[in-house]
Structure formats: C-alpha cells, structure tokens
Amino acid sequence: MVTQSVNKTALHPSGVQYAIPILPSDDPSVSTPRLRRSSMREHTLTTTALPLHVFLPSIVHVHITLTARQVANPSVAALYEDALVYETGSAITSTGALSAYSGAKTGRSPSDKRIVKEEGSSEHIWWGPVNKPMTTDVWKINRERAVDYLNTRNRIYVIDGYAGWDERYRINVRVVCARAYHALFMRNMLIRPSREDLKGFHPDYVIYNAGAFPANRFTTGMTSATSVAINFADKEMVILGTEYAGEMKKGIFTVLFYEMPVKHNVLTLHSSANEGKDGDVTVFFGLSGTGKTTLSADHKRALIGDDEHCWSDKGVFNIEGGCYAKCIGLSAEKEPDIFNAIKFGAILENTVFDPTTRIVDYDDTTLTENTRCAYPIEYIENTKIPCISSNHPTNIVLLTCDARGVLPPISKLNTEQTMYHFISGYTSKMAGTEDGVTEPQATFSSCFAQPFLALHPMRYAKMLAEKISQHNANAWLLNTGWVGAGATTGGKRCPLKYTRAILDAIHSGELAKVEYETYETFNLQVPKTCSNVPDDILNPAKSWTGSADFKEEVTKLGQLFSENFKRFSDEATPEVLKAGPQV
C-alpha cells in the first residue's frame, strides 16, 4: 500500500499518513471490509489515562450508561493540549488555529444517512433516497456499538450547547465524542452557554460520535461501514465509520428541519443572512461551495449567520454559534473577514501547512478539495450578537454555482420563478464537498438543502411562498459559477469582486431600477447594466467564448431542469410549472 504524508511536527514526525484509496469492497461476499488503514487508526488511545475531570454517570438517556472517563465542557486550551498530544496530524498553525485531520472521510456521506422509522415521526418524514428508514432494532445495535466503543476510550468529551438563538425555539444539544478535534468543532458550532447555565443543562438531543469505529456492514440495511442515524423519538444521533466533523453539524440541521416546521410552524433554511445599517435583512440560499459564507461576510453589513437559519413570525434567527467556512483558495485579499477569523480557538480541517513556519497553504489540495475552518461566529468582527433579527427579509438571494456557464450572474425573479428555482435547487456540486466527488457535477437539491431535509420539499416551499407574499420580499438568482464558457470549455469563475458589486447594487436599490432584458429559454429578467460590472458579463449570450455551442448548452441545462421538476409537477401550480425553462 502506497502512503504519503504531510503536516509533520515534532510531536508527530511522520505527519498525516493516508492510503492511496483502497475502499471497502462492494461485494457482500467479502467478509472483511477492505478499509483504508487511516480510517481505522486510533486517534485517542493512550497508555496513561488523564485525571478524572468530571464524572457524569447519567449523561445519556435510559438503558445505556457510559462508564469511560469524561471531560465535561473543557476549555479551548485543554482541547488544544489533548489534540496535540493524542491525535495524529494535529498542530498549531502560524495564526494560532488548531489544525486537525478527519481521516479517510473528508466530506459528508449522504448515502449513509438513516432516520429511524417510528410511530411518532414516520408520517411526516420524506422517505426515499434522502431519508432511508432504519428499524428500531438496527438502531439499538448501532447505538450499542457506538456506546461500547466510547466506553473503551481512556477519555471521552462532553460538549453542551444550544441550537437556535431565539430562546422560544432553541434546543439543547449534548455531544459525546472521543476526539478533542470533534469536541472543539462542536464547541465552536453550537451556541455556547454560560458556565452558570451549564450547571442546570439538560439535553433535548444527544449525539454519540464513535466515528473512528465502523458500523457492521452486515447488519440489516447497512450499505457500508459508515452510518449516520437520527432517532426523533429517542432524540439521539449515532455516528459510526466517519470522522468528518461536518456530519454532527448537519445532523443537528436535519433535526431543526424536522422540529421547527412540525412543532412550531417555523421555516428552516439552508442559508446565510446579514443585516444592513438600516435593518434590511438579506437571506442567501445555497449549497456548499456556492458562496453563502463568503458573501454573507460583508464588512458593510452585520453578519447574522453563515449557513443555517430559521424564519419565524418575528424575523430571522441563526441556528449556530459558529461558522464553517471553505478554505480552498482563501486569502486575506479576497476574504479578509474569514481569513482573520482563523486564530486561536478556530479549528482548521484537512488543510496543509509548512512544517517549519506553520503557515497554511490554502491552495494545497493534497488531503482534499474540501478544506474547512470552524470558528466562533463572534470571530467575524461585525457579527450581530445575539444572532437574531426582528426584521423580515427584504431580499432573498438564491445562489447557484453553474459550471456550464450559461446562467446569468444575476436575474430578478417573480414569485413563481422563485418557487421554481427554490424547489429545483440547481447548482454544480463542487469537488470535495462529498466523499467521491472529484470534479464539478450538475445537481438538483430541493430547497437548496435536499441532503438535510426531513420533510417533503413542497412543505418548505409552500411556507416560503407564504412568507415572501406576506412580507413582500424581493428575490434574485445569483450565479457565482462560470462566465464566458463552462468549466471544461474555457470559462472562468465569476470574479468575486463582480459578485460583490452586484450585491451592493441589490442592497442600494440600484439594480431594481435599471433596464432589464429577457434571457432566452429560461425567461429570466437580466439587467443590462450594473455599477462596477462589465455589461457583457451580465448576459451569457453576449459573453460566450466557449468551444461548445452556446444555444445547445442552454437547451441541455433547460432540459435537465424540466426533467428534474417532473418529480414535483403533481403538486406544483400551473403558474410555477410555466416559470421554468421552455425547451
């Protein structure tokens, strides 16, 4: 087996070691999974146990009690120390951030997501490829497997925090894990209670992260050694077979996609949000890699949050206490707010640094394209704390990253078009955001959140339509992808400075007043001019230089939209159906 290594330090002189991919066999007749060795490496095994900080014999719900030594809500410094000593590949970078390695899995594993099929939630769940059912018996097996693994560790970490800045709707989350890296990640991503509040903390949901230990592939319903399962009745989540920290964050997101609409009639959004000086709120929908984090971090506007929000009867509130930013290509010049947030307390995931200077190379993709950083939201200088606005959105921006280069950089949407594109959720899935994705792929993700949805997409879409109508919000389709041509036919990514100029024109009101023209096939309204943006970029028909035929590429994408929307045609109104591309 060929291995390579990076991130060598005095504590870990061999650096991060990983195998050139040898994946688990898909053949069920193979009795022994052929796992990458790095995925099975023990990150926290030690010969000497740490002193017992706190013993919490009842941190879990009924039936199973953890007996391992537990470190409850440790400080950032203590988590740094444990990560540096016990976890291969950990180091302090030049800016003070902690660098960590997630192992063989460097992105989410959506095909391994399961929801326990039980009486209380079953009628609400959108069953199918996104939410595959798990029986209660298999749930018990996986849960016991996870707890048994955690009980073999010399230490486990317990992190308590809140999900949701609006106290009317927040849920209390407890994370039980074996890695200091995971503990620090969730300490950053959850809303951090005060030490006083922690004394009486009782969890509504508990995450058992035993990601270094594989699921049993021969248990009924398991398709790999990875399993990410949620039980809405027991209010628990179990992770096996993946150490990618983002699974915990997105698991809680799925919980909110269920809890908020079903129990409170509150709309959950895969979005970032910020607020202008006059109180106007902009919400950015979009999948990973489309620019939610980057575009919401605007020094002229207060950040409410970068990824997960809820829209209630009183306004918009953030779900999280931190940000999870993509780091590929990051620089102080292009994204100063995010760059400056990477300091002590922040955790870098799967990035590569110089072993001498500890300077991170944000262009290095040796470990993955999906390099990340998780930091407390207050590390963004102009964050609105608490992360909640009493104002309803003025502008709704649907973000897409079109690798074909045929969607305009900006289009103004009417209500029916907004619904069509929200339900479609088109983007190009970028390399590294999921396990196995190595180049851009066209994808449709309902509500720009399909992997995280608990309910049928139309349920969220109808709620959004009602809120847009009630609060008279403007809607836009903003393409942060390629211009001039496609990613493989000579195009280039739309420069960030132009995208920001477009947003400035939206927020100032300028863009709503300029002259528009109709863009063929998609019937989108495209502005003819925008301050600080070249006119020819605004309409792909005028800027196309690609080797492929332009009209053919537009038609192909339109056909993909139409084919995808057939899934929803029975429930969509005629007006919404007509709002799509005409091919």
Side-chain angles (χ1 to χ4, degrees):
M1 181 183 300
V2 179
T3 62
Q4 299 176 350
S5 64
V6 295
N7 294 357
K8 299 179 181 181
T9 68
L11 280 174
H12 303 291
S14 61
V16 169
Q17 295 184 354
Y18 62 99
I20 299 303
I22 296 182
L23 300 174
S25 173
D26 292 326
D27 184 355
S29 66
V30 179
S31 59
T32 304
R34 297 171 63 227
L35 295 174
R36 293 183 177 100
R37 292 189 182 277
S38 60
S39 69
M40 298 300 293
R41 174 178 283 118
E42 174 52 63
H43 291 278
T44 56
L45 183 63
T46 62
T47 55
T48 305
L50 287 179
L52 181 60
H53 290 69
V54 177
F55 184 68
L56 300 173
S58 59
I59 64 167
V60 302
H61 295 178
V62 294
H63 306 310
I64 299 178
T65 299
L66 290 169
T67 58
R69 296 179 182 270
Q70 298 156 29
V71 185
N73 297 303
S75 67
V76 172
L79 289 171
Y80 263 55
E81 291 166 0
D82 281 9
L84 292 172
V85 173
Y86 302 113
E87 298 185 17
T88 301
S90 297
I92 300 175
T93 65
S94 61
T95 61
L98 178 68
S99 173
Y101 176 53
S102 70
K105 298 278 189 176
T106 57
R108 292 182 295 103
S109 300
S111 62
D112 297 303
K113 176 184 174 183
R114 300 289 187 276
I115 302 291
V116 176
K117 195 165 189 177
E118 45 79 28
E119 186 176 345
S121 62
S122 182
E123 66 175 312
H124 298 289
I125 302 301
W126 181 35
W127 298 112
V130 173
N131 297 307
K132 300 174 185 176
M134 172 182 278
T135 67
T136 54
D137 287 341
V138 172
W139 162 261
K140 291 175 183 177
I141 291 170
N142 280 14
R143 183 181 189 271
E144 184 175 47
R145 191 173 178 91
V147 173
D148 284 348
Y149 170 79
L150 291 168
N151 273 331
T152 67
R153 305 303 88 195
N154 286 60
R155 77 191 53 73
I156 56 175
Y157 302 93
V158 179
I159 299 295
D160 294 328
Y162 305 127
W165 281 86
D166 190 328
E167 295 183 12
R168 297 176 299 165
Y169 304 118
R170 72 172 30 162
I171 64 171
N172 295 353
V173 179
R174 173 162 288 164
V175 180
V176 184
C177 57
R179 293 193 63 181
Y181 143 53
H182 288 157
L184 180 57
F185 177 88
M186 288 305 285
R187 187 187 189 279
N188 284 349
M189 297 312 301
L190 292 171
I191 301 165
R192 291 159 289 284
S194 67
R195 283 289 166 183
E196 188 64 28
D197 289 339
L198 286 172
K199 292 178 182 178
F201 189 93
H202 179 76
D204 297 314
Y205 275 82
V206 178
I207 299 175
Y208 300 111
N209 188 341
F213 196 66
N216 185 333
R217 293 191 303 119
F218 302 102
T219 303
T220 303
M222 294 295 99
T223 54
S224 76
T226 299
S227 176
V228 179
I230 299 173
N231 188 323
F232 289 118
D234 292 352
K235 295 190 173 183
E236 294 179 345
M237 177 180 179
V238 167
I239 299 173
L240 292 164
T242 173
E243 296 177 81
Y244 181 64
E247 296 287 9
M248 294 181 287
K249 162 190 162 67
K250 294 305 186 183
I252 292 300
F253 199 18
T254 298
V255 167
L256 271 292
F257 265 115
Y258 172 79
E259 292 272 344
M260 293 298 106
V262 170
K263 298 183 178 180
H264 306 291
N265 195 34
V266 170
L267 176 60
T268 307
L269 312 170
H270 188 201
S271 70
S272 58
N274 60 26
E275 185 179 80
K277 293 179 180 178
D278 295 329
D280 61 297
V281 173
T282 296
V283 170
F284 301 84
F285 289 104
L287 295 175
S288 177
T290 57
K292 291 191 316 302
T293 298
T294 299
L295 297 176
S296 57
D298 185 336
H299 70 275
K300 298 184 292 295
R301 300 174 63 84
L303 178 69
I304 301 172
D306 82 319
D307 193 50
E308 303 176 8
H309 290 84
C310 290
W311 190 350
S312 73
D313 59 334
K314 297 291 180 65
V316 174
F317 65 89
N318 190 359
I319 292 172
E320 302 181 297
C323 300
Y324 192 34
K326 290 199 71 169
C327 290
I328 188 69
L330 181 67
S331 69
E333 293 73 28
K334 290 190 297 184
E335 300 171 270
D337 293 317
I338 296 172
F339 189 88
N340 293 331
I342 302 177
K343 55 187 178 182
F344 181 80
I347 185 159
L348 285 162
E349 187 178 53
N350 300 320
T351 55
V352 176
F353 58 82
D354 184 288
T356 302
T357 65
R358 303 297 175 89
I359 294 174
V360 178
D361 183 354
Y362 292 110
D363 295 318
D364 194 317
T365 60
T366 299
L367 297 177
T368 180
E369 290 270 354
N370 191 34
T371 53
R372 295 274 184 167
C373 183
Y375 48 85
I377 195 165
E378 60 266 26
Y379 281 18
I380 297 295
E381 195 170 309
N382 59 335
T383 296
K384 180 179 174 65
I385 302 290
C387 301
I388 184 170
S389 175
S390 58
N391 298 321
H392 296 280
T394 301
N395 289 293
I396 293 174
V397 179
L398 307 185
L399 294 168
T400 185
C401 176
D402 176 30
R404 292 175 177 267
V406 299
L407 285 183
I410 186 65
S411 309
K412 196 173 190 307
L413 305 177
N414 61 32
T415 301
E416 291 74 27
Q417 288 175 325
T418 303
M419 296 312 305
Y420 185 93
H421 286 279
F422 178 72
I423 294 170
S424 298
Y426 167 72
T427 194
S428 297
K429 189 180 295 180
M430 304 311 295
T433 55
E434 290 182 9
D435 192 47
V437 178
T438 57
E439 60 183 33
Q441 299 176 3
T443 186
F444 292 89
S445 182
S446 303
C447 311
F448 294 95
Q450 184 167 298
F452 323 122
L453 301 182
L455 316 178
H456 191 281
M458 286 302 299
R459 188 158 178 179
Y460 304 106
K462 289 176 181 177
M463 293 179 71
L464 179 63
E466 292 170 0
K467 288 186 174 294
I468 289 174
S469 176
Q470 182 181 355
H471 302 292
N472 196 30
N474 298 316
W476 311 83
L477 180 65
L478 178 61
N479 175 25
T480 62
W482 276 254
V483 294
T488 60
T489 58
K492 63 179 181 178
R493 192 81 183 260
C494 186
L496 181 60
K497 64 179 180 180
Y498 294 156
T499 302
R500 289 202 181 278
I502 290 169
L503 281 175
D504 288 343
I506 289 173
H507 291 141
S508 70
E510 171 202 329
L511 207 58
K513 301 174 184 177
V514 300
E515 187 178 354
Y516 281 77
E517 59 185 337
T518 301
Y519 181 64
E520 63 179 89
T521 305
F522 283 84
N523 295 318
L524 296 169
Q525 294 302 301
V526 177
K528 290 185 176 182
T529 60
C530 179
S531 295
N532 301 314
V533 180
D535 293 348
D536 60 344
I537 284 182
L538 295 172
N539 191 327
K542 299 177 180 178
S543 61
W544 188 260
T545 59
S547 56
D549 181 77
F550 173 71
K551 290 187 177 179
E552 184 178 336
E553 289 296 297
V554 173
T555 300
K556 284 181 181 178
L557 183 58
Q559 290 171 338
L560 289 174
F561 267 87
S562 298
E563 185 64 29
N564 171 74
F565 209 82
K566 288 179 181 178
R567 298 183 294 159
F568 312 105
S569 59
D570 291 343
E571 299 184 47
T573 65
E575 291 77 15
V576 172
L577 290 173
K578 290 179 182 177
Q582 304 301 307
V583 292

